[in-house]
Structure formats: structure tokens, C-alpha cells
Amino acid sequence: MSLTNYHSHTHYCDGKLAPEAYIKAAIKQGLTAYGFSSHAPLPFPCKWTIPRPKIKEYLAEIQQLKEQYADQIEIYLGLEVDYIPGRITPKNSFIRSLKLDYTIGSVHFVGNWSDGKPFQADGTHAQFLKGLREIYKNDVKKLMSHYFKLTRDMITLACPDVVGHLDKLKIHSEKGKLFSERSDWYVFEVLKTLDVIKKSGAILEVNTRGIYKKKTTELYPSKWILEYAKDMEIPICLNSDCHHPNEITKGFDDAVEVLIGVGFEEKMVLIGGEWVAVEIFKKE
Ligand SMILES: [Zn+2]
Ligand SMILES: [Zn+2]
């Protein structure tokens, strides 16, 4: 009844195929609802976002698919929007003008290089280390605290429907290489951010991509964070962040195990145009 995915990338941004291929895969797997969340255009060149002139075509194509497949699956039109102060937010006038069904707000850029260009912190490890060295003088606490501060500012100032991959930057510190998720300062930043999410009413995304791409051994966010989120009664949704139709529900079975283990009984789904809580079912 409740197999859904709202975080997906097609060939409009850095995904592999046309939107219809994802819908066909979703129908085949029995999904009741499916959402597209291409990377929103940025006001500077970026190879993984929708180019601004293409946005109209994206909106029209998803709209057309909505109608074409209306009797088989609910399709939703969204974007994964960055938060870069002064440049883009999930609630700026351009994003609002698109009349989307929902937004996923994700922080991928943290601070600026000396030439003023934003620093993408979730790219290659080498790039992360370069930013850490040149912008943050090798102070990883400073970089990560800035990341969580930006996440909180996004939620406070331009709240998206869904907060995307909350702790994705841990990919740069597998096995505690650069920082430990158990450090007091890291726990403090995470809890402060959960607090802001709780107050905002936004949905916390549980995202499986790091696992099936073998970038982390844990979900975004990690289990210990999910335990706090459960105690705080923060609503969650489950997404695959797929970039190919064969990834639309990748990692969901294991994620459901984790969620049920943590004590979550419900997840949020966009059905009938509204976010509602439904039971999390374990696959028999
Ligand atoms: Zn993302
Ligand atoms: Zn994504």
C-alpha cells in the first residue's frame, strides 16, 4: 500500500534516463506514488543541475506524464533545491513561481572559495579536502558546524517540505577518519538541527543512496540520529535518491529493518496531494 519514492533524478539533471522510464519501473514495482526531484537550476554553471532554460520543459513533461499515467500511479512534481545564502533557497521567488507539489531542501555547498565561487562539499573526497584546507584551514569542526548551521538557516528561513540527506557529509569521514559522529560538538550540531526540524514541521528524509553506492555503511541519517528523531516525534519519509530507474527502491528493505528497529511505525507519503502518515510495512 505504501511503496513510494519522491527523491529521483532524471536526464534533466544528473540522472541517467528520461522521466517515463522511472514511471514504468515504478508501476512495475507496484509503487502507489512517485515524485521527481531534479536538482533545481543554480545561478552559476553547474554540471549536475537542470540548466535554467530547460526548466519549462521539465515541468511540462512531468505534467504530461501525470495525466498520461493518472489511472496507474500518482506522479508528483518537485525539485531538490539547494540553500546558498543570497543565491538560492527552497522558497525564493523563482522556486515559488514554479508551483511545485513539493521541495526537498539539501545543502551541497558550504562557504565560498577565495574567488567567491561556492564550495561543493559533497563532491569528491579530494575536493572536500581542498575546501577543508583552503577555506577552513583544516578545521573540520568549523566546516561541519557551518554545514549544519546552513541546514538550520535553510529550515528557519526557507523551509522545504523535506530535509534531504541530513548527514551526507559523513561520506568524507568513514570510520571516523576526519571526525567522529560521537564527538560532543558533532552530536551538539545534529541535535540542534533536529530541534529546528521538529519546530518547523518539515519531514526528515531517510535516504538509502549512500548505502547502495557504498559511500557509507549507514543510512542518511545514521541510526543514532534516527533514534533521537524518533524520540522527538519528527516525521520521516523514505527515499532512494535514485539516478537510474533500477534504483527507485534500492535499499528500502534494509532501511525498513532499521526504521522498525528504531521504533518508527509510520512514514510520510504524498498521496492525494497531501503529506499523510502511513504505516511502515515490513516485506514478508
Ligand atoms: Zn542531494
Ligand atoms: Zn538527490
Side-chain angles (χ1 to χ4, degrees):
M1 265 302 281
S2 64
L3 198 54
T4 57
N5 176 42
Y6 305 95
H7 192 152
S8 67
H9 300 281
T10 69
H11 66 185
Y12 277 96
C13 54
D14 57 348
K16 299 286 180 254
L17 299 178
E20 190 171 21
Y22 296 74
I23 292 304
K24 284 186 171 157
I27 292 169
K28 211 167 168 185
Q29 290 186 38
L31 273 69
T32 44
Y34 197 83
F36 290 99
S37 62
S38 280
H39 289 289
L42 290 171
F44 51 85
C46 179
K47 60 181 185 329
W48 45 265
T49 59
I50 304 188
R52 179 94 178 229
K54 279 264 180 189
I55 193 83
K56 275 209 168 116
E57 200 184 310
Y58 170 72
L59 303 182
E61 183 164 345
I62 306 302
Q63 190 56 43
Q64 188 265 320
L65 288 171
K66 262 190 196 192
E67 289 156 23
Q68 187 183 336
Y69 286 96
D71 58 341
Q72 294 178 72
I73 189 167
E74 290 187 17
I75 298 177
Y76 290 98
L77 172 59
L79 282 174
E80 180 178 14
V81 189
D82 271 274
Y83 178 75
I84 311 175
R87 299 194 189 226
I88 184 168
T89 83
K91 282 253 171 82
N92 71 10
S93 57
F94 171 65
I95 298 296
R96 278 188 283 121
S97 76
L98 304 176
K99 308 259 180 275
L100 303 167
D101 295 320
Y102 69 102
T103 53
I104 298 175
S106 300
V107 175
H108 302 102
F109 295 91
V110 186
N112 296 305
W113 298 104
S114 54
D115 65 1
K117 285 193 184 127
F119 158 49
Q120 188 196 338
D122 74 327
T124 65
H125 190 57
Q127 190 72 359
F128 180 83
L129 292 178
K130 188 170 187 266
L132 175 60
R133 194 171 58 241
E134 292 181 16
I135 305 170
Y136 295 92
K137 312 292 172 237
N138 276 328
D139 186 343
V140 77
K141 177 180 164 187
K142 200 169 171 193
L143 193 168
M144 292 303 299
S145 302
H146 191 190
Y147 166 76
F148 283 113
K149 164 85 166 59
L150 287 167
T151 304
R152 291 192 293 272
D153 287 351
M154 169 180 79
I155 298 161
T156 310
L157 303 170
C159 195
D161 295 288
V162 176
V163 178
H165 49 62
L166 182 75
D167 63 349
K168 187 178 181 188
L169 294 193
K170 72 185 172 194
I171 56 173
H172 296 301
S173 189
E174 271 297 277
K175 300 197 182 96
K177 209 161 48 180
L178 283 173
F179 58 86
S180 164
E181 288 185 54
R182 297 291 170 182
S183 301
D184 288 349
W185 64 266
Y186 188 90
V187 174
F188 174 79
E189 289 294 335
V190 168
L191 295 188
K192 211 166 146 185
T193 309
L194 287 182
D195 225 30
V196 172
I197 295 173
K198 173 66 186 172
K199 286 194 185 102
S200 73
I203 299 163
L204 175 66
E205 176 186 64
V206 177
N207 179 314
T208 58
R209 186 163 180 81
I211 293 189
Y212 67 78
K213 294 301 281 183
K214 303 208 176 352
K215 295 218 169 186
T216 70
T217 51
E218 286 215 46
L219 293 162
Y220 307 135
S222 293
K223 190 175 169 206
W224 69 269
I225 301 176
L226 290 169
E227 283 166 351
Y228 277 108
K230 168 73 185 102
D231 283 350
M232 295 167 76
E233 299 181 347
I234 292 174
I236 53 147
C237 65
L238 177 58
N239 288 329
S240 67
D241 200 350
C242 61
H243 288 60
H244 190 285
N246 66 18
E247 296 170 344
I248 59 172
T249 61
K250 219 164 183 175
F252 278 13
D253 289 348
D254 291 342
V256 164
E257 287 283 332
V258 172
L259 291 173
I260 288 174
V262 166
F264 279 103
E265 291 169 354
E266 293 179 336
K267 65 168 184 173
M268 301 301 287
V269 296
L270 189 52
I271 292 279
E274 303 280 341
W275 286 101
V276 292
V278 298
E279 212 177 321
I280 297 174
F281 290 107
K282 210 169 158 179
K283 213 173 179 182
E284 297 306 326

